[in-house]
Amino acid sequence: MKTDTKLFTSHAALRCVIAILLLLPAMFTYAQRHEWEQFLYQLGEYEGLEASTWETSYNLLCDLEENPININTATREQLEQLPFLTAKDVEGISEYIYFHGPIKSLGELAMISNLDYFKRRLLFYFTYAGKLPENGFPTLNNILKYGKHEILGTIKIPLYKRKGDIDGYLGYQFKHSIRYDFTYGDYVRFGLIGSQDAGEPFFANKNNLGYDFYSFYFVLKKLGRLKTLAVGRYRVRFGMGLVINNNFSFGKLSSLTTLGRGGSNIRAHSSLSDGNYLQGAAATVNLTEGLDLSGFVSLRKFDATLNEDDNTIATILTSGYHRTETEMAKKHNSSHTVAGGNIDYRFKGFHVGFTGIYVVLDKELKPKTEVIYRRHYAHGKNFYNIGINYGYTGHRLSFNGETATGGCNAIATINALSYGLTDNLDLMALQRFYSYRYYSLFAESFSEGGAVQNESGIYVGANWRPMPGMSVMAYTDFAYFAWPKYQASSSSKSFDNLIQATYIKGEWNFTARYKLKMRERDNEDKTGLIFKNEHRGRLSAAYSHGIWQMKTQADIAYTQYKGNSFGWMISQNASLTLDNLLSTSVSLGYFDTDDYNSRVYSYEKGMLYSFSIPSYFGNGVRLALLASSRFSEKITITAKLGLTKYFDRDKIGSSYQEINGSSTTDLELQAKLRL
């Protein structure tokens, strides 16, 4: 009887949701405050990336939108931050400005043949056609007089209590942050950030200075031969990331969009994340035409789980949570000293660079290697890595690669080759070999296994634009893991395949996507390996007309592993925008999955610097309402209300995160003051 009641409730809810979905297009339409958020969502391999990686990438693009690049003075490093530009695109923009002079308006980008419609459209969000500076670097007086100040305050208020809020967490249940940012064009940036996760103490315990996490940064650019100077907290990336990359990373589909381009960059750590950053100073100096020298030094504390027997480091933590006594005891209990540099030379399309890094920990890193898959994890107290990156960018052919080694006495190499077969068809192949004995504490690059270690593979992809407004992207990736991995007790392999088609016709935008991932995992009794097969599909249609827009999306997921699991979700997004006076949006979705293995993902518009791609499993509905109003040229207020209701459970979460109820409601508020 209980099962029948639950089934009836579920079907009734489904009928109600479908009725609302059908009515929404008539009431509102779908509008993204940032069209590029959907671009990031479509390109990201969200089911394979950690939340911190998404946050880093998203914050970078938010920074660029809030402080767009003057395309007429943009350096190669600045353009390489944009995750949709290939090396040929970057060279094409630079060459056009060099031969034809400054761009008068961004509409002129249509004159650059290799920039397709999608890329030109996205460039409008992150660049502007500004004047050339008359006297080089601006004077201090002009910086102070014309610089822009921005203060951003955000708070998230849960209208429920977790188990830890009642007994367990050291602080209250509110998450909040404040950010101050000062900018002057592409030349100067200074900022302070304070942030607090829900459950963390405020002006209490170890947080006697208020917030649990603070970040500060100061960045100068284009000061004569000094291309970049960063002081405070910053991130760096050199080459393909085999030696060091704590800057940003996307997924395999974005690698196809950029055609495997690498890049070197130093930027401020303006994220709320208390992990994966450096603290000290970094700089890039142009020694002569085509030759750049970069150096960096860092001294900072970090969180770690310590081995009880000898006080060595078992695991380096990057979550940044300090909600309980146990988590607070791990706060900043270890430290590192890092020094390194890069030299990069470019000449007529060719480039070669050399990167080196040396790391000293205050305690020995000693992971618990009795578990076989951890046997070759990084270990020791002193670490060094060196690497050489190389490449060529031509009219149709591009090549990028990097090879690295270090104190581990092992090799890692990655090489990408792309060729423009026609003006509308780009082909790409990428090979990587990461020895199971290779490690670098700050490496991050293209991988299937989530680490620059224990992986060899080949990736082949194509980006085809058969007609104006249409793009078809597809890839297949094979990876082999020589050493056992988590949930795979012997050597294993994986196959990852995806095809996605996007078509824009007038006011309509259609997307279709299918993904098949096959990964070997232990069987039920761990006597052998079997494939875990994951099928994921998506269909979406978006319509935009003036102030009205809408989008309907359907997702399915089917997993075969120790049994079958099926799930689906249908969602509707709608919005109305009245110039800068008021912007409102509604998101409503219904999901029904067998279990976690068939979970579904859905993009949801959020606050500035808050990118949300939650996953859902079980049976329920998700509703989100967002409104933003610009009260004046200086003040913008945004509010969001989110509700998730489950029909198949009376408790949500586990441990301290457990909620005694079948629904959650969160209220978020954000105020931005710009002077």
Side-chain angles (χ1 to χ4, degrees), residues 134-146:
E134 297 180 358
N135 301 310
F137 194 82
T139 65
L140 178 60
N141 184 58
N142 282 342
I143 292 173
L144 296 176
K145 184 177 180 180
Y146 299 110

Side-chain angles (χ1 to χ4, degrees), residues 1-7:
M1 184 67 180
K2 184 177 180 181
T3 302
D4 293 339
T5 303
K6 175 185 172 183
L7 185 62

Side-chain angles (χ1 to χ4, degrees), residues 440-461:
S440 172
L441 296 183
F442 295 96
E444 184 176 322
S445 191
F446 185 104
S447 72
E448 166 62 31
V452 182
Q453 186 183 49
N454 185 29
E455 179 174 327
S456 57
I458 183 73
Y459 166 98
V460 178

Side-chain angles (χ1 to χ4, degrees), residues 29 65 83 94 111 116 121 228 241 303 307 341 439 488 525 540 607:
T29 57
E65 187 186 34
S94 300
M111 303 297 292
D116 61 36
R121 188 168 174 175
T228 305
D303 299 355
N307 294 307
Y439 52 76
D525 53 6
S540 70
M607 302 292 187

Side-chain angles (χ1 to χ4, degrees), residues 24 27-33 37 547 549-550 572-578 582-588 603-607 623-628 638-642:
L24 271 175
M27 297 187 299
F28 298 98
T29 57
Y30 170 80
Q32 299 298 338
R33 179 184 58 192
E37 290 184 14
I547 62 175
Q549 295 180 338
M550 70 176 183
Q572 177 74 53
N573 297 275
S575 184
L576 166 68
T577 303
L578 301 174
L582 179 66
S583 175
T584 61
S585 67
V586 179
S587 300
L588 178 64
Y603 164 79
E604 188 173 288
K605 181 180 175 183
M607 302 292 187
L623 172 67
L625 308 172
L626 188 143
S628 180
T638 306
K640 177 181 178 181
L641 186 69

Side-chain angles (χ1 to χ4, degrees), residues 546-598:
I547 62 175
W548 302 99
Q549 295 180 338
M550 70 176 183
K551 181 178 181 181
T552 303
Q553 181 170 297
D555 289 271
I556 61 168
Y558 178 59
T559 300
Q560 299 167 294
Y561 176 62
K562 300 179 183 178
N564 299 330
S565 178
F566 178 77
W568 61 275
M569 182 175 188
I570 184 169
S571 58
Q572 177 74 53
N573 297 275
S575 184
L576 166 68
T577 303
L578 301 174
D579 295 325
N580 292 323
L581 297 177
L582 179 66
S583 175
T584 61
S585 67
V586 179
S587 300
L588 178 64
Y590 178 85
F591 56 91
D592 190 6
T593 81
D594 292 336
D595 51 37
Y596 181 75
N597 283 331
S598 56

Side-chain angles (χ1 to χ4, degrees), residues 20 46 56 137 167 235 256 309 458 507 555:
I20 296 175
Y46 39 86
T56 300
F137 194 82
D167 182 21
R235 296 173 180 265
L256 181 57
D309 53 347
I458 183 73
E507 299 168 329
D555 289 271

